[in-house]
């Protein structure tokens, strides 16, 4: 199962929790695990609070963490910092499914992180496994 998001900025966070929850509900799985995966080398999936100020703080930190320039891959397509952030944070997350729902904490949301936008179409794959 997959869905798509589009991004409007170089670095952007998008809350994808509702879309993922929809897949979990439709799967009928009551107890299991949900794998959320972005098949991209310059994006990541994280789990955290999605509050507007924190969203801006994350974007600011990501922009500051690995400022472009000086990386060897930049000679190819000038996006080494996006690859590095993606690799450090990871392309996917696994969330427990309990009672047919994502077992997220009260303030936890599933967040897609764009590091090389804007992009018209970013894939997100959702796999719900019964255990
Ligand atoms: Zn590249």
């Amino acid at each position: 199962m997959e869905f798509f998001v589009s991004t409007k900025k170089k670095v952007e966070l998008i809350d994808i929790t509702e879309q993922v929850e929809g897949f979990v509900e439709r799967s009928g799985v009551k107890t299991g695990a949900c794998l959320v995966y972005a098949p991209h080398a310059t994006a990541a999936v994280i789990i955290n609070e999605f509050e507007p100020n924190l969203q801006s703080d994350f974007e600011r930190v990501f922009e500051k963490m690995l400022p472009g320039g000086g990386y060897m891959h930049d000679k190819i397509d000038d996006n080494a910092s996006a690859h590095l952030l993606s690799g450090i944070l990871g392309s996917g997350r696994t969330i427990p499914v309990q009672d047919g729902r994502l077992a997220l904490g009260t303030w936890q949301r599933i967040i897609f992180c764009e590091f090389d936008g804007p992009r018209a179409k970013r894939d997100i794959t959702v796999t719900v496994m019964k255990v």
Side-chain angles (χ1 to χ4, degrees):
M1 298 178 279
E2 64 179 345
F3 65 98
F4 309 96
V5 295
S6 60
T7 59
K8 297 175 182 64
K9 296 191 291 183
K10 167 96 173 143
V11 175
E12 182 175 350
L13 274 64
I14 298 175
D15 185 347
I16 57 170
T17 311
E18 281 183 23
Q19 293 98 315
V20 176
E21 271 175 347
F23 283 115
V24 172
E25 282 171 24
R26 288 193 291 279
S27 75
V29 172
K30 297 298 174 199
T31 304
C34 177
L35 171 60
V36 183
Y37 179 73
H40 299 290
T42 55
V45 176
I46 64 169
I47 295 175
N48 212 287
E49 185 172 345
F50 195 76
E51 176 272 322
N53 289 327
L54 188 58
Q55 182 186 349
S56 300
D57 290 340
F58 264 120
E59 290 173 4
R60 213 173 91 200
V61 164
F62 291 149
E63 283 162 3
K64 281 184 177 178
M65 260 175 80
L66 299 165
Y71 297 110
M72 292 174 68
H73 180 78
D74 285 336
K75 293 174 194 161
I76 297 169
D77 61 357
D78 199 29
N79 65 353
S81 61
H83 287 288
L84 293 167
L85 282 167
S86 171
I88 290 166
L89 291 163
S91 300
R93 289 290 188 270
T94 305
I95 303 123
V97 174
Q98 294 171 355
D99 300 320
R101 304 202 59 204
L102 291 167
L104 290 167
T106 305
W107 302 108
Q108 286 184 315
R109 307 292 289 178
I110 306 164
I111 302 167
F112 174 83
C113 301
E114 173 67 81
F115 300 126
D116 196 27
R119 298 288 185 106
K121 191 180 176 194
R122 289 297 215 177
D123 282 31
I124 296 156
T125 302
V126 180
T127 306
V128 186
M129 297 159 279
K130 186 179 173 184
V131 295

